Amino acid sequence: MSVLSVLDPAVTVAHAVVATIAHVLPTALAIVLFVLAVRLCLHPLARAAARGEKARSKLAPKVAELNKKHRNNPEKAREALAELYRKEQVSPFAGCLPMLVQIPFFSVMYRLFTTPNDLLDHTLFGVPLGLHVGNAHGAGQFAVFGLLYAGLAAVGYVNYRRARRATAAAQTAPQPGAALLPYLSFASVLFAALVPVAAALYLLTTSVWSASERAWLYRGTGQVPATALAV
């Protein structure tokens, strides 16, 4: 039994919603609209996470200064940092909780679009939504997979360039492994190769939303949030 099976009641509700929309629209479009509706409902949490990230970013120079000042006294450093966060009324975990709250919603959508159900019997441009690329045949089916992967790669490239700029601007000294982090922006392309068409369509839709949302919430700041590489 999958760990995600605890989400099955919520998956059933999500299935009913998508199925209802699919009565009047193509199922693939119903999936896109459902994902966009969920992301819109979660937008307040994304805004809260952005506020937390910005607050922590403003304190970053002071945090670095305190760490340097008390580098030989970890206990004193922890006390000084706690006092700084208390004085500025900022949590050191600001921005993390809103993002964690979103994880169950994403897990529900992932399970809906990867677990066999009647929605996956429908098609996208003639390709079954439950089809994996390993079982594809014919130029038409491979073309649909290719378009989905190309879309994810394009979004990944946008995130990659943004992450590269932010990493270069934030670091005063090279950090081990930091140069590799921007390449994680392309992880969704690799993941999409392991899931059926419906899940790849979900990944593309939510990735486009995430990239657009971040660009809006962090406009003019040059920041990339800690969750920028997440879907």
Side-chain angles (χ1 to χ4, degrees):
M1 179 182 293
S2 170
V3 174
L4 294 180
S5 62
V6 299
L7 299 173
D8 283 351
V11 172
T12 300
V13 174
H15 175 278
V17 173
V18 177
T20 299
I21 301 173
H23 281 310
V24 294
L25 294 172
T27 303
L29 181 56
I31 289 174
V32 171
L33 293 178
F34 174 73
V35 174
L36 292 177
V38 172
R39 293 306 307 265
L40 181 61
C41 291
L42 294 176
H43 181 66
L45 293 175
R47 293 181 68 87
R51 286 194 298 270
E53 290 280 353
K54 290 175 182 177
R56 285 196 300 150
S57 179
K58 286 183 179 180
L59 290 183
K62 293 182 180 180
V63 171
E65 182 180 343
L66 288 174
N67 282 327
K68 182 178 180 181
K69 180 180 179 180
H70 302 292
R71 60 180 176 274
N72 296 323
N73 191 337
E75 183 62 29
K76 185 66 175 178
R78 284 193 292 270
E79 292 176 0
L81 289 174
E83 175 61 20
L84 173 65
Y85 286 122
R86 186 195 63 77
K87 181 179 178 181
E88 298 292 337
Q89 296 183 333
V90 174
S91 168
F93 305 106
C96 297
L97 182 58
M99 298 310 300
L100 291 175
V101 171
Q102 298 182 53
I103 292 177
F105 293 92
F106 298 144
S107 298
V108 167
M109 289 190 287
Y110 166 77
R111 186 161 177 80
L112 174 61
F113 302 135
T114 57
T115 303
N117 61 76
D118 59 310
L119 294 176
L120 304 189
D121 294 333
H122 296 266
T123 62
L124 172 64
F125 300 124
V127 179
L129 292 173
L131 185 70
H132 287 73
V133 67
N135 297 322
H137 56 83
Q141 291 190 350
F142 282 111
V144 170
F145 280 104
L147 287 173
L148 291 171
Y149 299 159
L152 285 167
V155 177
Y157 181 70
V158 171
N159 290 334
Y160 165 79
R161 287 180 59 86
R162 185 181 298 144
R164 282 283 300 270
R165 289 195 299 268
T167 300
Q171 289 186 359
T172 55
Q175 299 294 323
L180 298 177
L181 290 179
Y183 291 96
L184 292 179
S185 301
F186 297 103
S188 59
V189 183
L190 299 177
F191 184 67
L194 304 176
V195 296
V197 172
L201 183 60
Y202 153 66
L203 283 173
L204 178 58
T205 304
T206 197
S207 295
V208 170
W209 177 281
S210 293
S212 302
E213 186 175 61
R214 292 175 195 133
W216 171 256
L217 292 176
Y218 294 87
R219 62 193 183 281
T221 66
Q223 284 183 254
V224 173
T227 52
L229 302 178
V231 171

